[in-house]
Amino acid sequence: MSDEMKPIEDLEQRLHRRKLEYDALSIPEATTQQAVQAGIRKATRQRKSRLRWMMSSVSAAAIILIFTGCIRVSPAFASFVEQLPGMDSIVSLIRQDKGLMMAIDQSLLQKVGITDEHNGTSVTIEGVITDESRMVIFYTMKGIQNPKNLMYDIKLLDKDGKDLPVGFSYSYPNPTSDEDIYENMINVSFTESLPPQDLTVVFKESKEADANEWRITFPVDHSLTQGMKRVIPVNETLVVDGQQINVNQATLYPTRLVLDMTYDPKNTKKIFGIGDLQLVDEQGRVWTTKEASLPEDGMSAFFESMYFSIPKKLTLHASGIRAVDKDKLNIQIDPTSGKIEGGPKNLKFLKKEIKGKDMILHFNITDSENANSGLSFTNIKDRKGKSFEVSQLGWSPSVAEASVTIKNGASAQGALDMELFSYPVLSQSPFSVDIPVNP
């Protein structure tokens, strides 16, 4: 065996052990995924807002469980892992993003290796990969006293200490093969600005007293992906379930492909999303999407990147749209009597629940079993005109039941007026369109 191949085989063995560990876990049905998706929609619609995506370790395990392919890595990828000690399990996540894997194979990873330590616990930014559209920050934690109870918030700041106008998501850290080291990554989306020259990442414990804070500042190397951007005009108009969708263009970056679509303002329905979006090339390879930005008049879907492996042919496929007639968007609910006026016919109010200062509304939505997107509201007001916000969402797809937590809703008086912000029912109207990657 050559010295060059030994690190690769060692890495493959570690990855295989990690897979076996996750295969042994029992994963309960999760009811939080819709909260994540709704949070993405809210964060990307509101101007200069930030997204915090927090998942349990069980949810993270559930993600890893679906990655069951043969574990093979390139020499460049093995080198990447050797640069970031203890990152074995996060590698399992990265491997499922073909574009990110290829970017790392092209040596686009910037090694950082800066640590901040307080009270025996340290946080290290190990590395970062970025282009004009996306940044992925890899970090580790060491010396955590009580990992199961560790809760923290993350902030991303510019050189002046101001919040970056970005959406970002993160999960709580996963254990590694080293029992003292935990790791994960922060996924940052640039929709309103370019990556900063200098970035500060702040980790702060989510507790009222004696909260530790770790602050790490590092320069961002823009030269690694400078000029790596390709705009692909599409300019195709589709009619789906009677609604017009304009597929405008795709922009290809090393870390992802961004597909921009707009909806005709004359549409009779409000479109909340498009179901089962995927790109398929001439070899049958599927390039998936897990995130999207949803401005008022359309959506930008983020797919795995094929920047370093341009296919001969690329086709967008979808199973239909999630939409509601515009005259059924406004709803009035009396939480006490259970009376509901307006809204789609298949939306049924089940009950209200008071929890501390909050009010939790429970619903059933027929014809939405196993939908991957749930229910949310905006513009909530009580009979006195007092405004309220949604703080948490729950979605149980197997029984098609949703819960909506209204912050401080226990003080609401009378019936609540609200507007649909998301709705899970999918019209079965599949469509496809070619993306001219090779005009």
Side-chain angles (χ1 to χ4, degrees), residues 54 86 135 157 222 237 254 264:
M54 288 168 274
M135 175 186 290
L157 309 177
H222 292 246
T237 298
D264 192 320

Side-chain angles (χ1 to χ4, degrees), residues 116-163:
D116 189 20
E117 181 177 354
H118 295 283
N119 296 324
T121 300
S122 64
V123 178
T124 302
I125 301 296
E126 301 284 1
V128 60
I129 185 168
T130 187
D131 53 33
E132 291 184 14
S133 180
R134 179 189 182 196
M135 175 186 290
V136 181
I137 304 167
F138 304 98
Y139 69 92
T140 57
M141 290 183 160
K142 186 175 182 179
I144 301 175
Q145 299 300 318
N146 194 346
K148 292 183 179 180
N149 294 330
L150 177 65
M151 302 280 285
Y152 58 88
D153 295 320
I154 291 178
K155 288 186 177 182
L156 303 180
L157 309 177
D158 62 17
K159 64 180 181 180
D160 299 319
K162 297 180 180 179
D163 289 328

Side-chain angles (χ1 to χ4, degrees), residues 157-177:
L157 309 177
D158 62 17
K159 64 180 181 180
D160 299 319
K162 297 180 180 179
D163 289 328
L164 288 181
V166 298
F168 66 98
S169 61
Y170 60 93
S171 305
Y172 288 133
N174 299 320
T176 68
S177 54

Side-chain angles (χ1 to χ4, degrees), residues 28 67 72 97 176 292 319 389:
F67 305 149
R72 300 298 299 176
D97 187 323
T176 68
S319 60
E389 294 183 353

